[in-house]
Amino acid sequence: MEQRTYNQYCATARTLDLVGERWTLLLIRELLTGPKRFGDLQTSLRGLGTGLLAARLKHLEREGLAHKITLPPPARTSAYALTEAGEDLGPAILQLARWGLKWAMGERRETETFHPGWAVLGLRACFNAEAAAGLRAVYEFRVDDEVFHARIDDGTIEALHGPAQHPDATVTISEEAFVSLTGQGLTFADAIESGAASASGDSEALHGLKDLFPLPPPHARKADGTPP
């Protein structure tokens, strides 16, 4: 597959030469939360055919943005992981997510797929470091069968797939309620207060959750106020 180029000696254009093709940034989004097997990527990126997925992964390998690894026991299977250059795209992906939450989300369309695990990056994108100053807590989130967690340490965050070993607080919410929460710019604390979610654990950690992940309300991109 011939790689297209803007033929501009410009940092933005050169970057888009590398990651501007359809699905490429979403592949990087998936790999930012850890190594993924080919099948994992197929599951998360429905609509991306097997052949095109293989081509995009080869492109990322060829350009030094991703590489193959072998997962540790008990998996011991081949997977893809980002290189240092690929990981360095993380802030740009998070900034795109922040922009999208404000200007592009709105209500979910009937044809759109959704995976609660995408919230792992969403937590990083929405994280309010000022509200987390002095806070040290581990939060586990359960959205139907999907589990992920966030470790807060005095203004910093580490968000990962899977359960936490010793969570200070656990939030449980259905996928339907979670989608509604995401599209309306509410917070986990709002969902708990309304009864759409439940929470258990340390009271101080639960109180700290209130301002940790503020979602901006959707904004209209057009002057007439038409929603995204």
Side-chain angles (χ1 to χ4, degrees), residues 138 167-171 199-207:
V138 178
D168 295 292
T170 300
V171 175
S200 61
D202 180 76
S203 58
E204 184 176 347
L206 289 172
H207 178 74

Side-chain angles (χ1 to χ4, degrees), residues 38-127:
F38 191 92
D40 297 330
L41 294 169
Q42 281 185 304
T43 299
S44 293
L45 299 172
R46 293 178 185 175
L48 174 57
T50 301
L52 186 55
L53 173 56
R56 289 289 183 264
L57 287 169
K58 285 181 181 179
H59 168 76
L60 292 179
E61 286 186 275
R62 184 171 61 249
E63 298 297 344
L65 299 175
H67 61 120
K68 285 182 180 178
I69 65 168
T70 299
L71 294 174
R76 299 183 186 274
T77 57
S78 177
Y80 293 87
L82 292 176
T83 62
E84 180 182 0
E87 291 282 356
D88 224 19
L89 285 164
I93 300 291
L94 293 181
Q95 188 58 45
L96 281 173
R98 282 189 285 268
W99 185 92
L101 285 167
K102 182 176 181 179
W103 295 105
M105 284 296 281
E107 294 185 2
R108 181 182 179 182
R109 303 180 186 119
E110 290 184 5
T111 57
E112 290 180 323
T113 60
F114 175 76
H115 292 281
W118 291 338
V120 172
L121 280 186
L123 291 176
R124 299 182 197 175
C126 299
F127 179 60

